[in-house]
Amino acid sequence: MTGLLILIRFVHLGALTLLIGTFAFLLLVGRPAFRRAGATRAPDLERFDRLLLAVAEWSLLTAFASALAWLGLQAAIASGRPLGEALTLETVGTVLTGTNFGRVWEVRLALIALLAWFLFFREHEQDDRDWTAVRLEGVLLAGGLAVALTWAGHAAATTGRWRLLHQGSDALHLLAVGVWLGGLCPLAVLLRWAGRSPDPSWTAVAREATRRFSLVGLGSVAVLVLTGLVNTWTLVGSVPRLVGTPYGRLLLLKLALLLPLIGIAAVNLLRLKPTLLAHTPEGGAGTSAAIMRRLARNVIAEAGLGAAVLLVVGALGITPPALHAQPTWPFAFRLSWEVNKDVPGVPLAIGVGVAGALLGAAALGSAALSGRLRPWAIGAGLALWAGTIPVPLRYLAVDAYPTTYLRTPVPYNAISIASGQHLYQQNCAVCHGAGGYGDGPVLRGIASTRPDLTAPHTALHTAGDLFWWVTNGIPGTQMPPFQGHLTEQDRWDLINFLRALSAAEQARTLTPLVEPTPWCVAPDFTFGSGVGAGQTLKDFRGRAIIHLVLFTLPGSLPRLERLDAAAPQIGRWGARTLAVPMRDAPRIYRRLGARAATLPLAVEGSEEIVETYALFRRTLAAEGVPPVPSHMEFLVDRQGYLRARWIPGQDGGWEDLSRLLHEIGWLDNEAPKAAAPDEHVH
């Protein structure tokens, strides 16, 4: 059924393209070109006009028939029944009234009916105004048919502020396709008529039509490029999704078909059109006829490639956008500046590559201007590119895997990290060590193979790289595959823990003074006070600075009482204290009694919060992993980044509440320095 749907969409898009192109060609190219040749060609204009209107009528009938077939197939897809069983009034009625596709289809059917009325029941045109009005109505209604498609396509599913831009861009893209590709067939017909006639006035018609269509084509291609970039950005978004998803590969196929199409158009524009325009009657009718026949052949080739592009577009419309698909990286390497930037020789290699690329471009540019030395300049330019561009690429390449750019389906939150920590201790600590330093009992003493998971390079690998290694193991090492032992969810939990472990190691530098640059993502968590609905840390983004307090009774009680008393001052700076018991959460209200009575408590979810945030107890003052303190405090800014930490006993820190208030005030006055972090690790 997928193949049939693609075919129906292709036929429908082809009919619409021809419909738009026919009317636009008559208005912008055909009639002005015939008029330019004088009154002698008036009968030919009338004949050409009748032919194109007949093409428009058949295109409209084809669009109507394919729209009916599309509706029937959509009913079968929506109902999950075979096509024969789905074609009932009830099923089709449900699609028409209960789906966005159906509502848009009704609007488009009304446009088809209106255009059919103008085309099939038009009265005899009395003058130029009547003639222009009918064709103008045709191009507007045909354009409306194409634009309405964007209400039921991928653009309609775009959310947020990009939706209007995407829909507008998609609409312009369809119109430009119609004007350019749809105008190729009328142009080919006109050129073939002109090429077969010995009358010099036909050459004048062809020259003017070619000149005008070149302008129309240039404008259309410019619109196609701009809107194509917008559409690619909103539907694909990245190179991995371009090369690693079915949608991205179809888009590449479309581009591969467009390149020769544009190449042929460029030959027509830069070589054949100037030759035809420069040709004079003294040059001989045979010469101009040969040029027009060659132009016609090229235009037909363009139209053929354009039809292939429309077939790909038919498939793109029913393929999930790359932005919403998991990419499968097809190459064994990827380029990474972050991984290699500190490797000796990389800056020099990049400098060589950039210099060679610029010199090569200069050589090729001079080839375009030079006549006699053109072959040498082209050879030198290509040789420079071939010899220098691969140099930096070789230095920047790192190993990659099919899952390298896989997006984790498991959010980076305390539940996942705590689960991953348990899995790590059960399956990984024996080699990597309890703290992740690669000093587990199995590998202890084998210095050359110590896989330190806290080292900075670990954070430079993608989550997909880690997923691949955890799933399949690492050949040539003692890292085994865990695919048969851990579920996919377990493996992603493990990776979330590894990300938190690496962040915690880098966060040794955190102090009671706010970090000037936000970089450490605060793991999200869900909590409840025991009464009412639960909340998440993410709920406070953009609204409040969170002062997170992990406490233990009875030692933290004096501190909690002071914070409770200071709550109005803390709130004045747009902050909120959230206290999380490190032990005995179910009895925490009873143990606190009336003391610190107004301090918000996170009772539900406290275990996972404590396990996760206790990872951030590593400091520069202590080697390795220190014991879990009985009390810790953190500041999380409004964007969701961990910005400061205080562990009592290491220094005065926030023992003096004025210092805590000073840091909160600093954060309150700070303009956002980074976008809110994604809920998934990368």
Side-chain angles (χ1 to χ4, degrees):
M1 199 171 287
T2 301
L4 183 57
L5 183 57
I6 293 172
L7 182 62
I8 289 172
R9 283 176 51 84
F10 162 67
V11 171
H12 192 76
L13 289 171
L16 286 185
T17 301
L18 203 51
L19 203 53
I20 296 171
T22 298
F23 287 121
F25 189 88
L26 279 172
L27 285 168
L28 302 175
V29 179
R31 188 172 70 159
F34 277 102
R35 289 276 176 91
R36 185 72 176 268
T40 57
R41 296 270 67 87
D44 295 310
L45 169 59
E46 189 175 337
R47 186 161 61 101
F48 187 71
D49 183 56
R50 281 200 306 273
L51 174 65
L52 292 200
L53 287 181
V55 170
E57 290 168 359
W58 280 105
S59 298
L60 185 63
L61 290 173
T62 305
F64 175 62
S66 56
L68 284 177
W70 194 350
L71 174 64
L73 208 54
Q74 196 67 28
I77 293 171
S79 64
R81 295 156 62 188
L83 184 58
E85 297 178 14
L87 295 179
T88 64
L89 286 177
E90 181 184 1
T91 306
V92 174
T94 302
V95 171
L96 283 175
T97 59
T99 68
N100 187 52
F101 171 86
R103 289 186 284 273
V104 173
W105 192 93
E106 291 178 57
V107 172
R108 300 185 72 243
L109 183 65
L111 291 174
I112 288 176
L114 195 56
L115 183 52
W117 174 265
F118 282 120
L119 266 180
F120 293 106
F121 300 101
R122 68 182 184 278
E123 297 179 353
H124 179 68
E125 294 146 2
Q126 301 293 331
D127 51 28
D128 281 354
R129 291 178 60 186
D130 283 354
W131 188 96
T132 302
V134 169
R135 279 106 194 127
L136 192 57
E137 288 158 358
V139 76
L140 290 176
L141 289 171
L145 272 171
V147 169
L149 280 174
T150 64
W151 298 343
H154 290 324
T158 302
T159 57
R161 57 182 176 172
W162 296 109
R163 178 171 179 166
L164 188 59
L165 174 65
H166 189 190
Q167 279 195 281
S169 170
D170 209 20
L172 286 175
H173 200 79
L174 286 171
L175 292 175
V177 167
V179 171
W180 180 34
L181 292 186
L184 289 173
C185 289
L187 178 64
V189 171
L190 189 149
L191 288 172
R192 289 182 72 84
W193 283 11
R196 285 199 293 260
S197 174
D199 190 334
S201 63
W202 264 110
T203 302
V205 172
R207 289 165 59 183
E208 182 63 15
T210 304
R211 188 185 69 79
R212 283 179 163 270
F213 192 78
S214 296
L215 296 175
V216 170
L218 277 176
S220 299
V221 169
V223 172
L224 285 173
V225 170
L226 291 175
T227 55
L229 289 173
V230 173
N231 292 348
T232 301
W233 176 254
T234 50
L235 293 175
V236 179
S238 68
V239 172
R241 287 192 170 88
L242 182 64
V243 299
T245 64
Y247 187 94
R249 288 167 187 157
L250 280 172
L251 189 58
L252 288 175
L253 175 60
K254 180 184 170 185
L255 293 174
L257 290 167
L258 275 173
L259 286 178
L261 196 159
I262 292 176
I264 295 172
V267 170
N268 292 345
L269 177 70
L270 301 175
R271 301 192 62 177
L272 296 183
K273 189 194 85 170
T275 306
L276 181 63
L277 295 184
H279 183 74
T280 60
E282 291 75 20
T287 304
S288 61
I291 296 171
M292 287 185 282
R293 284 196 296 271
R294 189 177 171 188
L295 261 174
R297 284 197 300 271
N298 284 2
V299 170
I300 291 171
E302 286 183 67
L305 286 167
V309 169
L310 290 181
L311 184 60
V312 176
V313 172
L316 280 170
I318 61 169
T319 304
L323 204 60
H324 306 302
Q326 291 280 25
T328 301
W329 185 246
F331 308 114
F333 68 93
R334 64 185 173 96
L335 302 179
S336 174
W337 165 252
E338 287 298 323
V339 173
N340 296 295
K341 62 183 179 183
D342 296 325
V343 175
V346 168
L348 177 62
I350 291 177
V352 170
V354 171
L358 291 176
L359 287 173
L364 292 175
S366 69
L369 304 174
S370 169
R372 193 163 53 88
L373 297 177
R374 180 173 296 167
W376 290 102
I378 292 175
L382 294 178
L384 278 167
W385 279 5
T388 57
I389 291 179
V391 174
L393 299 184
R394 191 165 57 248
Y395 275 87
L396 294 176
V398 296
D399 290 341
Y401 312 93
T403 62
T404 285
Y405 292 101
L406 212 59
R407 179 185 172 88
T408 167
V410 182
Y412 183 65
N413 60 32
I415 293 177
S416 175
I417 293 169
S419 173
Q421 183 168 202
H422 294 164
L423 292 167
Y424 175 86
Q425 296 302 337
Q426 294 166 10
N427 300 280
C428 313
V430 67
C431 292
H432 294 284
Y437 294 114
D439 54 353
V442 170
L443 299 182
R444 191 169 293 155
I446 310 176
S448 60
T449 58
R450 287 181 57 178
D452 184 354
L453 297 177
T454 66
H457 70 82
T458 305
L460 299 178
H461 294 291
T462 68
D465 284 344
L466 300 178
F467 184 79
W468 180 266
W469 291 329
V470 173
T471 301
N472 300 288
I474 301 178
T477 72
Q478 293 179 290
M479 175 75 184
F482 285 91
Q483 187 169 18
H485 183 56
L486 300 177
T487 65
E488 183 176 336
Q489 164 87 32
D490 287 343
R491 282 173 270 155
W492 283 119
D493 285 344
L494 197 53
I495 288 161
N496 277 338
F497 166 71
L498 295 178
R499 283 290 194 241
L501 186 71
S502 176
E505 182 68 17
Q506 307 310 311
R508 282 178 179 276
T509 57
L510 284 179
T511 69
L513 298 176
V514 167
E515 286 268 321
T517 304
W519 62 271
C520 184
V521 177
D524 192 22
F525 55 78
T526 302
F527 68 95
S529 62
V531 179
Q535 292 180 283
T536 67
L537 177 65
K538 193 177 171 185
D539 292 339
F540 294 93
R541 284 187 186 172
R543 294 168 44 204
I545 300 161
I546 293 298
H547 173 218
L548 185 66
V549 179
L550 309 186
F551 69 93
T552 306
L553 294 181
S556 299
L557 193 52
R559 176 67 176 175
L560 294 182
E561 289 181 311
R562 292 186 64 196
L563 291 175
D564 191 29
Q569 294 172 277
I570 293 173
R572 196 175 301 139
W573 295 106
R576 175 174 172 174
T577 297
L578 179 63
V580 184
M582 300 180 78
R583 290 197 294 269
D584 207 13
R587 297 196 308 132
I588 203 66
Y589 284 113
R590 189 182 308 167
R591 295 190 63 187
L592 279 172
R595 304 175 72 176
T598 63
L599 205 59
L601 294 176
V603 178
E604 296 162 354
S606 61
E607 187 176 344
E608 291 82 8
I609 298 172
V610 171
E611 286 187 36
T612 297
Y613 278 84
L615 292 171
F616 294 87
R617 66 184 182 275
R618 304 178 186 210
T619 67
L620 293 175
E623 286 292 329
V625 185
V628 178
S630 60
H631 188 104
M632 301 174 71
E633 295 183 19
F634 300 92
L635 280 180
V636 180
D637 68 15
R638 288 192 177 92
Q639 278 64 53
Y641 291 94
L642 210 55
R643 301 293 295 275
R645 174 195 60 200
W646 175 57
I647 301 176
Q650 295 188 0
D651 58 33
W654 299 336
E655 188 68 45
D656 179 356
L657 278 180
S658 64
R659 293 181 62 183
L660 172 63
L661 293 172
H662 179 271
E663 298 307 310
I664 291 175
W666 198 91
L667 281 178
D668 185 53
N669 291 318
E670 178 189 66
K673 291 184 174 177
D678 198 344
E679 63 176 329
H680 299 84
V681 296
H682 298 283

